Amino acid sequence: MFTTRPTLQGTFGMVSSTHWLASQSAMAVLEDGGNAYDAAVAAGFVLHVVEPHLNGPAGETPMIIAPRDGEVRVVCGQGPAPAGATIAHYRSLGLDLVPGIGPLASAVPGSFDAWMLLLRDHGTKGLAEVLRYAIGYAEDGHAPVERVGRTVETVRRLFETEWPSSAEVYLPGGRPPRPGELFRNPRLAATWRRLIAEAEENGGTERTAQIEAARRIWREGFVAEALVRQAARPTMDTTGSRHTGTLTAADLAGWSASYEAPATYDWNGWTLAKAPGWSQGPAFLQQLALLPAELPRYGSADYVHLLIEGCKLAMADREAWYGDAADVPLDALLSEPYNAERRALITGTASHALRPGRPGGREPVLGAHVRALVSGAAGPAPDTAPAPGVGEPTVAKDGTTRGDTCHLDVVDRWGNMISATPSGGWLQSNPVVPELGFPLGTRLQMTWLEEGLPNSLTPGRRPRTTLSPSLALRDGVPVLAFGTPGGDQQDQWQVHFFLAVALRARVRGGLDLQGAVDAPNWHTDSFPASFFPRGMRPGSVTVEGNTDPEIVAELRRRGHDVTVGEPWSEGRLCAVARDPGTGVLSAAANPRGMQGYAVGR
C-alpha cells in the first residue's frame, strides 16, 4: 500500500525519533560501536537542544528497556514532588490548581539522572562521547524547526517583561530563532563542558566512576546550586502573580532515577509493557482489555466508535484510580470479569458521561474540580487544545502555556531495545536558569490540590505523568518499541498505531510500521485534561481531515461531537522493531510536523 515513506529494514541498527538530528546522532553512536543505550542517551541530549520547546534536561524521561537476554524494565525518570510541595502550602497561597508555569509547578528534575543511570548500567560509552553531539549543536548552532520560533513568539512578552534570562537565550538580537539561521545556546554547551570536566576530575578515567561523579554534580554540585537558586526566585506564573518554588538542595540530593517492573497485558499473542500507574500507561492496557473477541472491520465507523468509547472508560478509570499517592488496583482493572462488565457499557451511541468503574467493589472518588467539570459548574472548557494535530505547544489568550513532548526508539544489532519519552523543562515552562541555559519543569501541574485522591499533590510522590513509552513482545521476546508525544493523546494514538500493526497486512515479510504510522488518527478529550487549567470536552472527537467523510457523518449520527482537523494533524509516532526469527530490524517515523525521521541500515 502507499505510504509517505518506506518502512526501513536492515540488520545493523535502527533509530526513530521526533527530530532528524537526534535520529542521526543516535545512528552515529551505533556506527561508532555503541549499543542502543549509548545511542539513546546521545539522542536524548540532542533533543534537549533541538526541541527545547518540547523537553529539557530538568524535565522527565520515562523509558522502557529490553536488554539482550535481560528482563524488560521501566526506568523511572519522573521526579517526585519536593518535600515542601504540600497541599496546605499551595492552598495558603489562594490556589485551587497548581499553576501551569513557574517554580510552584516544578517537581524534582528527572531526565538527566535517568539518562545517566541508563548509560552507567547498560551503555558502553563515556560521558564525553555521548554528550559531544548535544554540545556541538548547542555551541556551533543548528537550524531550528519552525515551531521553536513560533513558541518563543507566543511568550515573547513574558520573556521581555518577566523572564529576562529566557529572553537572553531565545530572543537573540530581540527576535525569536528563525528557520534556516543557526541558533545557539552557548550557556547549555558550557554547562555540559563543565560537568564533563568536573566528572573527569572527580571520577578519574574509569567510565562508571565518571558517570557517578556527574550524577553527584547534578544533585549536589554547581548544577544543583543553580537550580535551587532559580526555584527561590519570585517568578510570574499563570496566576498573574510572582511565586517562589519549593525545590531545595535536600530534594535534589535525596532522589535518583530507578528501575521497576512494567505493567503488562496479554492480547492476541502480544504482551504490551507500559510504565505502572504513576503514569497513564496502563490506560493503553485497559483499552486493549476492553476490546471484544471479535473486532469490527479495521478503520470502519464501528471500529472507530468502539475505540473512542473504550478510551473514555479507560480514561475515566485513570482519573479515579491512577496516581502515586495511593495503591493502583491494576490487577482488578485489567481482569476479565471487570472488563466484561465495563465492555457492556459500550453501546451504539456516544457517551458524554465520565464513568469510572468499581474494581474489586471499591467506590471511585473524584475530586471537586472534576465533579464541577462533570456537572457543568466549571463552565465551558478553556481554549487550551493543542495546535492542530501534532500536540505542539500552544499559548491561550490568558497566557496559559501548554508544552508537549519528544520520543525516541532504538534497536541495535545485538537485540537491545529502548523506548523513551523525554518531556518537561520546556522553554515556556520556567525561566532559563541563567548559569545553566535550561529551565525547570512543570510536571506538578498534573496533581490535584485536594487530599485523598490517587493523584493528590504529595511530597515525595510522583505526579501522574502522561509520558508513556511502549514496548511489545511476542512469545516473551521483545519485538516492537514505539511511542509518541501528545500529552493525554499519547495512549490514544499509540493504541491506534499498535492495532494497525497487529491487524493489518505485513510488508516485505515484516511489520508494516510506516503504514500504521501514516494511518488516519483521532483522539477524544472527553475526560479531565492533565494540563492546567484541567478542562474537558464531553463527547468530543477530533479526527484528521483526511478521514473518510462517511465515517465522520456516521460518528456524528451516533452522537459524537466531531471536530475535523487538518489533514495529517493527529499523532507523532515513532517505532522500531526486531524480528527474532530473522534478525531483521525495522523502523518508521511520523511525517506529521515534518521533523520526525527514522534512520538505519
Side-chain angles (χ1 to χ4, degrees), residues 89-380:
H89 173 61
Y90 285 65
R91 288 289 189 177
S92 73
L93 300 173
L95 301 177
D96 296 320
L97 294 173
V98 177
I101 62 173
L104 278 176
S106 297
V108 177
S111 286
F112 179 85
D113 199 63
W115 291 127
M116 292 298 101
L117 183 70
L118 179 71
L119 184 66
R120 185 196 71 182
D121 294 345
H122 298 281
T124 66
K125 296 288 190 180
L127 186 65
E129 291 178 288
V130 295
L131 282 176
R132 67 187 182 97
Y133 303 92
I135 291 171
Y137 288 124
E139 195 167 61
D140 301 327
H142 67 281
V145 295
E146 290 83 352
R147 287 188 175 87
V148 173
R150 291 178 194 168
T151 303
V152 173
E153 186 60 47
T154 61
V155 288
R156 174 200 283 270
R157 185 174 180 276
L158 179 66
F159 283 10
E160 291 176 336
T161 60
E162 295 286 345
W163 296 6
S165 60
S166 295
E168 290 175 14
V169 174
Y170 289 107
L171 291 169
R175 59 181 177 83
R178 293 184 180 181
E181 298 180 0
L182 290 180
F183 174 70
R184 298 175 174 85
N185 188 345
R187 295 186 190 184
L188 178 57
T191 295
W192 298 145
R193 288 198 181 280
R194 179 178 174 183
L195 182 91
I196 292 168
E198 292 192 11
E200 291 175 345
E201 179 181 350
N202 294 302
T205 59
E206 202 274 322
R207 189 187 78 90
T208 300
Q210 283 188 11
I211 295 168
E212 281 301 295
R215 298 178 76 193
R216 289 193 300 272
I217 293 163
W218 176 275
R219 293 199 296 259
E220 302 174 23
F222 79 93
V223 176
E225 292 168 359
L227 292 174
V228 171
R229 281 195 297 271
Q230 183 61 46
R233 292 185 177 108
T235 300
M236 179 66 70
D237 59 32
T238 44
T239 66
S241 300
R242 297 177 184 87
H243 291 108
T244 57
T246 60
L247 184 69
T248 67
D251 295 318
L252 284 162
W255 180 85
S256 62
S258 59
Y259 298 102
E260 57 189 81
T264 62
Y265 183 75
D266 295 332
W267 181 84
N268 281 15
W270 294 84
T271 299
L272 278 298
K274 302 287 288 185
W278 50 265
S279 79
Q280 73 172 1
F284 181 113
L285 308 180
Q286 283 197 251
Q287 289 174 78
L288 294 183
L290 284 163
L291 294 175
E294 296 293 328
L295 290 175
R297 177 176 55 84
Y298 174 85
S300 65
D302 287 340
Y303 175 87
V304 177
H305 172 77
L306 174 69
L307 265 61
I308 293 168
E309 294 304 297
C311 175
K312 293 175 186 177
L313 294 174
M315 289 301 193
D317 278 345
R318 183 191 75 163
E319 185 55 50
W321 300 108
Y322 292 18
D324 201 29
D327 292 331
V328 181
L330 200 52
D331 288 345
L333 290 169
L334 294 175
S335 68
E336 177 51 30
Y338 177 77
N339 282 284
E341 179 182 325
R342 299 284 279 163
R343 200 177 296 126
L345 297 176
I346 300 175
T347 67
T349 58
S351 170
H352 288 229
L354 188 72
R355 300 181 290 179
R358 301 173 63 250
R362 296 167 57 182
E363 288 296 329
V365 178
L366 300 176
H369 181 85
V370 173
R371 296 197 303 272
L373 289 175
V374 171
S375 69

Side-chain angles (χ1 to χ4, degrees), residues 297-565:
R297 177 176 55 84
Y298 174 85
S300 65
D302 287 340
Y303 175 87
V304 177
H305 172 77
L306 174 69
L307 265 61
I308 293 168
E309 294 304 297
C311 175
K312 293 175 186 177
L313 294 174
M315 289 301 193
D317 278 345
R318 183 191 75 163
E319 185 55 50
W321 300 108
Y322 292 18
D324 201 29
D327 292 331
V328 181
L330 200 52
D331 288 345
L333 290 169
L334 294 175
S335 68
E336 177 51 30
Y338 177 77
N339 282 284
E341 179 182 325
R342 299 284 279 163
R343 200 177 296 126
L345 297 176
I346 300 175
T347 67
T349 58
S351 170
H352 288 229
L354 188 72
R355 300 181 290 179
R358 301 173 63 250
R362 296 167 57 182
E363 288 296 329
V365 178
L366 300 176
H369 181 85
V370 173
R371 296 197 303 272
L373 289 175
V374 171
S375 69
D383 180 20
T384 58
V390 290
E392 292 283 6
T394 56
V395 179
K397 294 176 182 178
D398 64 355
T400 300
T401 62
R402 173 171 177 163
D404 197 35
T405 302
C406 306
H407 187 79
L408 65 92
D409 303 299
V410 189
V411 60
D412 64 27
R413 62 190 184 274
W414 301 289
N416 298 302
M417 189 177 290
I418 179 171
S419 176
T421 309
S423 186
W426 310 302
L427 66 86
Q428 67 277 20
S429 64
N430 260 300
V432 166
V433 182
E435 305 93 325
L436 303 177
F438 59 83
L440 286 163
T442 54
R443 192 61 53 176
L444 292 187
Q445 67 178 291
M446 297 187 170
T447 61
W448 295 115
L449 297 181
E450 181 176 344
E451 301 284 359
L453 303 176
N455 194 31
S456 297
L457 176 65
T458 307
R461 297 289 181 154
R462 293 162 289 194
R464 188 193 67 212
T465 182
T466 54
L467 308 178
S468 192
S470 300
L471 197 138
L473 302 86
R474 294 282 284 182
D475 302 319
V477 179
V479 171
L480 175 66
F482 60 100
T484 181
D488 293 313
Q489 294 135 350
Q490 288 184 32
D491 283 306
Q492 301 184 59
W493 292 336
Q494 291 187 76
V495 168
H496 310 158
F497 164 81
F498 170 72
L499 290 175
V501 169
L503 299 175
R504 299 190 346 161
R506 295 160 69 88
V507 295
R508 299 195 190 100
L511 301 173
D512 183 13
L513 300 184
Q514 194 63 50
V517 168
D518 289 352
N521 221 317
W522 66 91
H523 78 273
T524 176
D525 297 303
S526 193
F527 50 85
S530 297
F531 293 90
F532 182 92
R534 313 298 298 271
M536 66 180 287
R537 295 173 55 211
S540 68
V541 179
T542 302
V543 302
E544 289 185 297
N546 49 337
T547 302
D548 185 338
E550 293 184 4
I551 292 177
V552 173
E554 177 60 18
L555 292 175
R556 285 174 172 156
R557 189 190 69 77
R558 294 180 183 216
H560 295 280
D561 179 9
V562 181
T563 298
V564 179

